[in-house]
Amino acid sequence: MVNTRRDAIVMYFEAGPDEFELVDGFRRDVRGIGHHGTGDLEVRLRSGTDLERAGEMIRRSYEVA
């Protein structure tokens, strides 16, 4: 799932948060905080660099879909 915000694109992945390093302001565990079952890992994209950092996760998600 993808949401747009004023300052970021926010993506939610089914991948377990334990599979990736959590990075404050970029990638976080959203299990158990009422995110409507859209995925347990939240990624915030605020720049082209963030998009590059998330590239592997996006590819992996696409491949398993």
Side-chain angles (χ1 to χ4, degrees):
M1 173 172 208
V2 176
N3 289 324
T4 57
R5 304 273 166 76
R6 185 169 36 108
D7 65 337
I9 296 172
V10 181
M11 304 171 68
Y12 296 93
F13 291 87
E14 294 288 330
D18 300 327
E19 295 179 44
F20 298 94
E21 177 185 354
L22 301 179
V23 178
D24 192 38
F26 173 65
R27 192 172 8 210
R28 73 179 182 138
D29 182 346
V30 292
R31 292 179 283 198
I33 63 167
H35 59 92
H36 310 292
T38 56
D40 291 334
L41 183 66
E42 177 186 279
V43 176
R44 289 183 175 264
L45 306 177
R46 292 185 174 98
S47 68
T49 301
D50 287 347
L51 180 59
E52 289 178 30
R53 290 168 55 189
E56 180 61 26
M57 294 175 55
I58 295 168
R59 279 189 290 280
R60 285 176 51 185
S61 179
Y62 179 77
E63 289 171 359
V64 300

